[in-house]
Amino acid sequence: MSRSNYGALVIAEIQARKYFPESARARGSTGAVGVAFTIGPSGRVSSVSVVRSSGVAELDAAARRIVQSIAPPPPPGGSFSASATIRFNVE
């Protein structure tokens, strides 16, 4: 699998596990969280950090939990580092 295909798979996993914290939704909080992460040789997320806060601590924490919850296959080349923006919008 190419690195770009693997990246698309990882983003799809993040989107599939995305949730909106109910208490933040009830308050009408919205925002976008920039996260950077690394996936190790086993396919587990070995590190995740917020690189751009939404300004809402609950949304930032949810973004970290979402990324930590993904379980892609082992990455090509043994590790994979990327960043993504997770958007929380009331729909």
Side-chain angles (χ1 to χ4, degrees):
M1 176 180 298
S2 73
R3 290 186 72 75
S4 62
N5 287 344
Y6 187 80
L9 178 114
V10 168
I11 295 302
E13 283 233 10
I14 289 170
Q15 289 301 319
R17 294 178 184 271
K18 186 173 147 183
Y19 68 94
F20 200 129
E22 192 53 45
S23 56
R25 181 187 300 272
R27 285 194 312 278
S29 298
T30 61
V33 183
V35 291
F37 56 92
T38 299
I39 298 171
S42 68
R44 294 190 52 168
V45 174
S46 58
S47 69
V48 61
S49 61
V50 171
V51 295
R52 190 179 67 250
S53 173
S54 66
V56 180
E58 233 175 333
L59 298 181
D60 293 352
R64 279 192 300 274
R65 283 192 299 271
I66 290 165
V67 173
Q68 288 170 335
S69 75
I70 66 173
S79 71
F80 181 82
S81 295
S83 60
T85 300
I86 300 174
R87 297 181 193 292
F88 296 93
N89 299 311
V90 177
E91 298 171 352

